[in-house]
């Protein structure tokens, strides 16, 4: 919930909703120091999540936990509800980053299997970059690509005119 807290604190006019599948993580985030009227946390299965219209969706480090069809469905649902002038930020491990992808996969093994920090129901399915580019093209979104130096994590900032 640190990103949700940061976004809520930067603008009290902004409404921030943080969602996670893991109820335990929601409880930790919801019981932190800041609990303003512009910040909410809820447990949600993003494969079933139907968003309201919004100016921004941030899908951070979560898509690889879903099969490709569910990744695409979630992206499509967000694209359909994005307001004009809005932004979708996607950060995830991109499998095409061959040189750095091993590091990302290793961190996920530690996170899911060794420490159990992240819960998984499916085999990890990292995205090919083409999946994000195809989504951006389908919804006529401008693309900004920000690359990590050490891992295959890429942040895509997708803007709707």
């Amino acid at each position: 919930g640190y990103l949700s807290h940061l976004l809520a604190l930067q603008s009290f006019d902004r409404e921030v909703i943080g969602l996670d599948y893991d109820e335990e993580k929601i409880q930790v985030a919801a019981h932190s120091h800041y609990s303003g009227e512009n910040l909410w946390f809820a447990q949600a299965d993003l494969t079933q999540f139907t968003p309201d219209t919004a100016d921004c969706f941030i899908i951070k480090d979560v898509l690889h936990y879903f099969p490709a069809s569910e990744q695409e469905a979630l992206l499509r649902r967000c694209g359909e509800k994005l307001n004009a002038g809005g932004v979708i930020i996607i950060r995830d491990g991109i499998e095409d980053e061959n040189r750095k992808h091993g590091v990302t996969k290793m961190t996920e093994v530690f996170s899911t299997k060794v420490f159990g920090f992240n819960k998984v129901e499916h085999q990890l399915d990292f995205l090919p970059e083409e999946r994000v580019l195809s989504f951006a093209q389908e919804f006529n979104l401008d693309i900004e690509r920000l690359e990590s130096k050490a891992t295959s994590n890429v942040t895509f900032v997708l803007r709707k005119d």
Side-chain angles (χ1 to χ4, degrees):
Y2 72 90
L3 180 59
S4 299
H5 283 92
L6 178 64
L7 291 169
L9 285 166
Q10 283 185 331
S11 174
F12 298 115
D13 294 329
R14 175 184 294 148
E15 291 183 26
V16 178
I17 303 169
L19 304 175
D20 198 293
Y21 179 75
D22 187 342
E23 179 65 35
E24 196 174 316
K25 287 183 182 177
I26 291 299
Q27 291 303 316
V28 169
H31 292 93
S32 67
H33 176 70
Y34 175 72
S35 58
E37 293 181 18
N38 65 331
L39 176 62
W40 300 271
F41 292 97
Q43 188 277 333
D45 178 354
L46 292 180
T47 65
Q48 304 301 313
F49 174 67
T50 303
D52 293 330
T53 57
D55 294 324
C56 182
F57 294 101
I58 300 174
I59 305 169
K60 183 178 176 291
D61 299 329
V62 69
L63 288 175
H64 62 276
Y65 292 117
F66 310 139
S69 62
E70 292 179 4
Q71 294 173 12
E72 292 170 5
L74 174 61
L75 291 174
R76 213 169 272 114
R77 290 191 303 270
C78 291
E80 290 167 353
K81 296 294 187 163
L82 185 64
N83 289 330
V87 177
I88 297 177
I89 299 171
I90 300 168
R91 180 186 187 268
D92 218 299
I94 301 299
E95 67 182 14
D96 308 342
E97 293 286 322
N98 296 328
R99 185 174 49 82
K100 300 184 277 184
H101 194 56
V103 174
T104 303
K105 289 195 301 189
M106 181 182 64
T107 63
E108 283 300 321
V109 166
F110 279 98
S111 176
T112 58
K113 295 186 175 151
V114 177
F115 299 118
F117 181 72
N118 291 324
K119 297 176 180 161
V120 293
E121 291 186 12
H122 307 281
Q123 183 176 359
L124 299 179
D125 190 359
F126 289 95
L127 291 77
E129 186 162 351
E130 180 54 38
R131 186 169 301 143
V132 177
L133 300 179
S134 176
F135 163 71
Q137 183 177 18
E138 178 181 349
F139 286 90
N140 198 28
L141 304 171
D142 295 329
I143 303 168
E144 180 181 356
R145 184 183 193 279
L146 307 168
E147 194 171 312
S148 167
K149 291 183 183 191
T151 69
S152 66
N153 290 315
V154 176
T155 301
F156 295 93
V157 181
L158 310 174
R159 290 184 172 81
K160 183 176 184 178
D161 292 329

